[in-house]
Amino acid sequence: MGIVFFIYNLLFSLLLIIFLPYLYLKGQNRKDGFVWLKERFGLISGEKIKSIHGRPIWIHAVSVGEVMAALPLIRAIKERYPGKSLVLSTVTDTGNLIARERAKDADTIIYLPFDISLFVNNVLKRVRPEVFILIETEIWPNLLRSLYKAGIPSLVINGRISQESFRGYSLGRLFMRYILKYISKFGMQTHSDAERMIAIGAEPLKIEIIGNIKFDYTPIQPSMDIKKVRDLYCTGDRHLFVAGSTHEGEEEIILDIFKELKKDFKDLLLLIAPRHIDRVKRIEGLMRERDIICRRRTELSENVPDEVSVIVLDTIGELAHIYSIATVVFVGGSLVPSGGHNILEPAVYSKPILFGPYMDNFEDIKRIFLEKGAARQVTDGSHLRRELEHLLMNGDESRLMGEKARNVVDENKGAVKRSLMMIEEFLV
């Protein structure tokens, strides 16, 4: 396999060289300057290293979803081991921002180095983790091999493999079988995830089914922030329809539905939270085409004016607050083939939840919610309009559906406790 790693490193290095001018320009336009780029090249500042005491627990969460999933685990680790340092790494900028805003128990937050041996080994020598934890399933061959050679156990927590990922991993099954030997233990979400992991080469004896730690998410308690959001959006008798984590092709459908609903529900307010904030201008253009008056969230300092029908969320980290005051929620990435998004966050606030036919990344969660009558799946825009209209007209039914959603979350808690038990096996 040495030649495979040589080719992998060579190709990765060539790609970095090709994209170096782009990375440099990107660094020039960032508020943090070149901190991000330095860390991706394995250059962690002395200040961050000094914040680590002893051999830390290192948790890696690639982006926003994984960071949010990791929060209850991070909190539990700090409660169980208050004297241990905790390092949290991400890959994406949005993930890093959410980590800095929400993961207050982490001693330091860094970007994961590019998966080239030189960069990875430099970081490992400086951070010296006691154990390395991958949230969900993100396979970095050089990182895992370097951890193994250094005698540092690596664990997969909240592991999952979607059908699409499984097909991709299966193409390189021989290489995957070799890489997966470097991982000490796999804590998978479901039996299906465990079976797929075994099928691509993991040793069955290393696998445990621990459930989904996202079910252990603790909702934000009522605070001045929540009250401010409620006052901002829910003045008078206005009802709030939240379309969260929307993708290209979904906003058009939602806006057309909203225009129809407004004929019968004059007090209805729509908030669109695009999955990618850089699409805000595009969404504003869609509303101009439909003569819909909108405002960005950052343009609001007090109550939403009566003439405004739609708010576009152009901030990061506020969607959970807004879910807490929603009348009904649609979770995006599901009317178009994007795999869907996590429905647990609105569920913990007892909200009636709708989603589309494309929920490949959350098949097991979807199944549980549908079986319990805790959410509804729609087939297309027309179906979504009918379900929204029904829920808005039937408040008692909406409340009951929301209560069932919260019950599903409560009934499936416990993955964090099982994850801690797994981690403890590898701590001195």
Side-chain angles (χ1 to χ4, degrees):
M1 279 293 171
I3 186 64
V4 176
F5 273 96
F6 174 78
I7 294 171
Y8 175 80
N9 275 296
L10 180 62
L11 291 175
F12 206 139
S13 300
L14 288 173
L15 281 173
L16 271 181
I17 292 170
I18 292 169
F19 282 99
L20 195 57
Y22 165 77
L23 296 173
Y24 179 79
L25 290 173
K26 184 178 177 182
Q28 283 188 316
N29 296 323
R30 294 168 61 95
K31 290 181 180 179
D32 62 358
F34 290 96
V35 171
W36 152 80
L37 193 55
K38 287 178 180 177
E39 292 185 357
R40 294 307 313 267
F41 278 91
L43 302 173
I44 311 298
S45 71
E47 183 180 353
K48 288 190 175 183
I49 296 299
K50 286 178 183 177
S51 67
I52 303 170
H53 305 288
R55 298 192 65 189
I57 295 171
W58 183 350
I59 295 178
H60 176 60
V62 60
S63 191
V64 175
E66 292 79 9
V67 171
M68 294 300 295
L71 292 178
L73 179 62
I74 290 170
R75 192 176 304 114
I77 289 173
K78 271 298 186 178
E79 288 175 359
R80 181 73 63 88
Y81 304 103
K84 281 194 178 293
S85 289
L86 197 150
V87 174
L88 176 61
S89 63
T90 72
V91 169
T92 69
D93 294 337
T94 50
N96 197 269
L97 178 59
I98 290 296
R100 285 184 277 118
E101 288 181 351
R102 298 285 188 90
K104 302 300 182 184
D105 288 316
D107 293 275
T108 193
I109 295 167
I110 63 174
Y111 284 96
L112 190 76
F114 289 119
D115 195 44
I116 293 176
S117 297
L118 176 65
F119 307 151
V120 167
N121 289 332
N122 187 51
V123 175
L124 288 181
K125 286 176 184 177
R126 301 194 71 200
V127 175
R128 301 187 310 112
E130 184 175 0
V131 64
F132 182 86
I133 298 168
L134 282 165
I135 299 297
E136 299 195 2
T137 309
E138 189 186 353
I139 306 300
W140 295 109
N142 278 319
L143 174 60
L144 292 170
R145 184 172 70 160
S146 292
L147 286 163
Y148 182 81
K149 286 183 174 181
I152 300 167
S154 58
L155 313 178
V156 171
I157 296 291
N158 217 48
R160 70 180 180 92
I161 300 182
S162 68
Q163 189 62 44
E164 183 179 353
S165 297
F166 176 68
R167 285 193 291 267
Y169 286 136
S170 296
L171 294 175
R173 189 170 298 174
L174 289 176
F175 185 56
M176 287 302 301
R177 180 174 281 109
Y178 188 82
I179 298 302
L180 294 178
K181 289 181 180 180
Y182 296 137
I183 298 176
S184 307
K185 203 125 187 199
F186 301 83
M188 307 303 292
Q189 292 183 19
T190 68
H191 287 280
S192 298
D193 294 310
E195 289 170 359
R196 288 169 183 165
M197 185 62 78
I198 292 170
I200 62 172
E203 298 172 29
L205 292 177
K206 289 184 176 181
I207 290 179
E208 290 184 21
I209 298 165
I210 61 172
N212 190 334
I213 61 177
K214 290 181 179 179
F215 280 109
D216 290 279
Y217 171 78
T218 302
I220 300 169
Q221 298 302 312
S223 65
M224 288 304 295
D225 288 338
I226 293 287
K227 290 177 182 177
K228 182 179 178 182
V229 173
R230 189 182 301 280
D231 291 342
L232 184 64
Y233 295 112
C234 295
T235 55
D237 296 323
R238 300 190 84 170
H239 293 288
L240 182 62
F241 165 36
V242 176
S245 300
T246 58
H247 285 242
E248 182 77 33
E250 291 184 315
E251 291 91 5
E252 295 95 325
I253 297 170
I254 290 163
L255 289 171
D256 289 339
I257 290 171
F258 178 70
K259 283 199 73 172
E260 287 296 312
L261 291 175
K262 281 289 281 186
K263 295 174 183 177
D264 296 315
F265 301 94
K266 306 295 184 183
D267 63 343
L268 187 62
L269 181 68
L270 168 64
L271 183 135
I272 294 180
R275 182 64 173 178
H276 304 291
I277 289 180
D278 58 4
R279 296 187 54 250
V280 167
K281 286 186 178 180
R282 159 72 174 150
I283 296 167
E284 289 175 322
L286 294 174
M287 281 184 272
R288 283 193 296 272
E289 292 171 6
R290 291 162 174 78
D291 295 320
I292 295 175
I293 299 174
C294 71
R295 291 286 187 279
R296 295 189 184 194
R297 167 65 183 90
T298 52
E299 294 174 342
L300 299 174
S301 56
E302 51 188 30
N303 296 343
V304 178
D306 291 339
E307 68 272 13
V308 172
S309 298
V310 181
I311 309 299
V312 182
L313 189 65
D314 58 343
T315 62
I316 294 173
E318 196 176 347
L319 184 56
H321 290 73
I322 295 167
Y323 278 148
S324 74
I325 60 168
T327 305
V328 62
V329 171
F330 167 76
V331 177
S334 59
L335 276 177
V336 294
S338 295
H341 287 293
N342 183 21
I343 63 176
L344 296 179
E345 202 163 57
V348 299
Y349 291 108
S350 304
K351 301 301 173 182
I353 302 163
L354 302 170
F355 50 80
Y358 302 102
M359 287 288 285
D360 308 50
N361 293 340
F362 298 90
E363 280 293 334
D364 290 283
I365 290 177
K366 178 195 78 173
R367 176 182 52 78
I368 294 170
F369 271 77
L370 293 179
E371 286 175 356
K372 298 286 186 178
R376 291 179 186 171
Q377 186 168 30
V378 300
T379 54
D380 54 24
S382 297
H383 191 186
L384 176 59
R385 185 193 62 77
R386 294 195 300 273
E387 289 293 346
L388 280 168
E389 184 176 29
H390 182 81
L391 291 172
L392 289 169
M393 291 179 66
N394 297 275
D396 289 342
E397 186 176 334
S398 293
R399 282 187 288 274
L400 179 60
M401 186 173 160
E403 289 169 7
K404 289 179 179 179
R406 178 57 192 259
N407 289 339
V408 167
V409 175
D410 291 340
E411 290 167 3
N412 286 275
K413 288 181 180 292
V416 165
K417 182 178 179 180
R418 291 186 284 273
S419 298
L420 274 178
M421 292 173 65
M422 181 185 294
I423 295 167
E424 285 172 350
E425 296 178 31
F426 299 92
L427 296 177
V428 177

